[in-house]
């Protein structure tokens, strides 16, 4: 079937672009340090030799947290400012790096080139940023309509806790997930189209994304659901592994850090696998590039 051929080709392309994923991982780790280091400094300065850290070792202590005073305000300041900066930088860098990744996933890219990767990242930055902003805005609006508003209705004073219809909430979340995958597919098709064109064309690429998503819906949407299910199972596995690992020594902490970074790299690989699969399916469905889409797996 065309779906499994695209998935296999997408996996092959992702393996070929492992250096690009490594660049993505390194930049993501650096961004995380932007918020982690100021938080660590604020906690060290505020707590000093206080015994509060010992109280928090066994879980959240409300009494201890209530005594934080100015330390709490400092932590909130660092966290909120760092988080806002992190989100802004992530938005910009994600659009930049994704341009290089999609370019390296094209079927006619025989070998990964770091120079070509960054050239493509710069060339596709503005249209990819526009695609990200537009699709993200749509997804936020959908989340508000399909998840937040029903949730507020469920937890309103008119609904006693014992009779809360949580089934409605579950259906709303499931419906949002299904609908959101369509717009994620639109964004991926738009990016795959953009890297084939020399001139930036954000709206034309989005037009192609919507057109291709619905014209090839019976093959594209099931493929996205397969990828989403695999990604969700992987995240569940990561949470189980990391959550059950309780390091008691320095070696254990180092091991946990290395494992978490490896799992994060694999999470990025699955994301790039999605990019490669959508790119492959686009080429399989496009007669002008059908000859390019043949990849030995």
């Amino acid at each position: 079937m065309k779906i499994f051929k695209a998935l296999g080709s997408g996996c092959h392309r992702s393996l070929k672009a492992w250096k690009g994923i490594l660049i993505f991982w390194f930049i993501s780790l650096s961004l995380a340090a932007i918020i982690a280091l100021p938080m660590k400094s604020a906690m060290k300065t505020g707590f000093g030799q206080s015994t509060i850290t010992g109280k928090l070792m066994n879980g959240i202590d409300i009494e201890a947290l209530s005594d934080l005073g100015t330390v709490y305000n400092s932590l909130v300041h660092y966290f909120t400012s760092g988080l806002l900066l992190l989100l802004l930088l992530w938005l910009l860098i994600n659009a930049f790096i994704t341009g290089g990744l999609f370019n390296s996933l094209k079927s006619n890219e025989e070998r990964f080139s770091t120079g070509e990767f960054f050239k493509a990242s710069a060339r596709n930055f503005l249209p990819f940023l526009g695609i990200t902003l537009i699709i993200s805005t749509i997804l936020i609006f959908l989340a508000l309509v399909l998840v937040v508003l029903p949730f507020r209705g469920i937890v309103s004073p008119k609904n006693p806790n014992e009779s809360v219809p949580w089934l409605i909430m579950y259906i709303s979340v499931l419906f949002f997930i299904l609908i959101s995958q369509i717009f994620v597919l639109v964004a991926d098709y738009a990016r795959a189209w953009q890297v084939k064109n020399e001139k930036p064309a954000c709206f034309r690429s989005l037009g192609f994304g919507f057109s291709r998503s619905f014209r090839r819906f019976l093959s594209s949407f099931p493929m996205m659901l397969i990828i989403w299910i695999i990604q969700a199972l992987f995240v569940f596995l990561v949470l189980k592994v990391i959550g059950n690992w309780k390091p008691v020594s320095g070696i254990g902490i180092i091991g946990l850090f290395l494992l978490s970074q490896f799992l994060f790299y694999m999470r990025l690989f699955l994301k790039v696998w999605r990019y490669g699969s959508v790119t492959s399916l686009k080429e399989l469905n496009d007669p002008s590039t059908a000859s390019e889409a043949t990849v030995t797996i």
Side-chain angles (χ1 to χ4, degrees):
M1 293 177 62
K2 188 180 292 187
I3 293 176
F4 296 105
K5 186 176 182 180
L7 289 171
S9 177
C11 182
H12 174 83
R13 298 170 191 227
S14 302
L15 290 171
K16 184 182 62 177
W18 68 270
K19 292 181 181 179
I21 303 175
L22 189 63
I23 294 172
F24 201 2
W25 167 82
F26 178 76
I27 293 177
S28 300
L29 182 63
S30 301
L31 286 178
I34 292 177
I35 187 172
L37 293 179
M39 281 286 291
K40 180 180 179 181
S41 177
M43 294 179 67
K44 185 176 181 180
T45 301
F47 294 148
Q49 301 299 323
S50 173
T51 59
I52 190 173
T53 52
K55 294 181 179 180
L56 296 176
M57 287 291 290
N58 297 321
I60 301 298
D61 189 322
I62 301 299
E63 181 181 354
L65 292 177
S66 64
D67 293 335
L68 287 178
T70 57
V71 176
Y72 174 79
N73 295 331
S74 177
L75 290 176
V76 170
H77 170 73
Y78 277 115
F79 181 78
T80 53
S81 60
L83 183 60
L84 290 175
L85 178 60
L86 181 65
L87 291 175
L88 177 60
L89 290 176
W90 175 255
L91 178 67
L92 298 175
I93 293 178
N94 183 67
F96 180 80
I97 295 297
T98 305
L101 286 171
F102 265 91
N103 185 74
S104 64
L105 294 170
K106 293 188 299 184
S107 62
N108 59 356
E109 291 292 325
E110 297 182 357
R111 295 183 58 186
F112 180 86
S113 169
T114 304
E116 181 60 28
F117 177 86
F118 284 107
K119 287 181 181 178
S121 296
R123 182 172 63 248
N124 296 309
F125 172 68
L126 288 179
F128 272 48
L129 180 61
I131 293 169
T132 300
L133 289 174
I134 292 173
I135 297 299
S136 296
T137 301
I138 294 174
L139 291 177
I140 292 173
F141 176 77
L142 285 175
L144 290 174
V145 173
L146 299 177
V147 179
V148 176
L149 292 181
F151 180 77
R152 292 188 62 182
I154 289 174
V155 298
S156 65
K158 297 180 181 179
N159 295 320
N161 291 333
E162 59 271 15
S163 61
V164 170
W166 287 105
L167 179 61
I168 298 177
M169 192 68 232
Y170 296 144
I171 293 175
S172 298
V173 172
L174 179 61
F175 189 58
F176 169 73
I177 291 174
L178 294 175
I179 297 298
S180 66
Q181 293 309 299
I182 298 177
F183 289 99
V184 172
L185 178 64
V186 169
D188 287 347
Y189 267 136
R191 293 164 180 151
W193 181 89
Q194 178 59 59
V195 297
K196 286 284 188 178
N197 293 268
E198 297 181 357
K199 295 183 179 180
C202 173
F203 293 103
R204 285 187 61 191
S205 61
L206 280 172
F208 174 86
F210 277 102
S211 174
R212 179 53 59 89
S213 296
F214 290 102
R215 185 179 301 174
R216 305 291 183 178
F217 187 82
L218 293 180
S219 59
S220 302
F221 187 68
M223 186 185 74
M224 292 295 290
L225 287 183
I226 292 173
I227 296 174
W228 182 87
I229 291 172
I230 293 175
Q231 291 177 332
L233 290 175
F234 178 78
V235 171
F236 176 78
L237 177 63
V238 169
L239 293 177
K240 292 290 289 185
V241 172
I242 300 297
N244 292 327
W245 189 335
K246 310 257 184 221
V248 295
S249 64
I251 296 178
I253 293 175
I254 294 175
L256 179 60
F257 173 77
L258 294 177
L259 176 63
S260 65
Q261 293 309 307
F262 171 75
L263 293 175
F264 181 62
Y265 179 89
M266 293 304 300
R267 174 70 179 88
L268 293 177
F269 174 84
L270 292 177
K271 187 175 185 178
V272 177
W273 176 43
R274 190 192 82 210
Y275 296 162
S277 298
V278 172
T279 300
S280 176
L281 191 60
K282 169 188 173 294
E283 294 172 355
L284 288 170
N285 289 324
D286 189 347
S288 64
T289 58
S291 61
E292 298 178 357
T294 304
V295 178
T296 302
I297 302 174

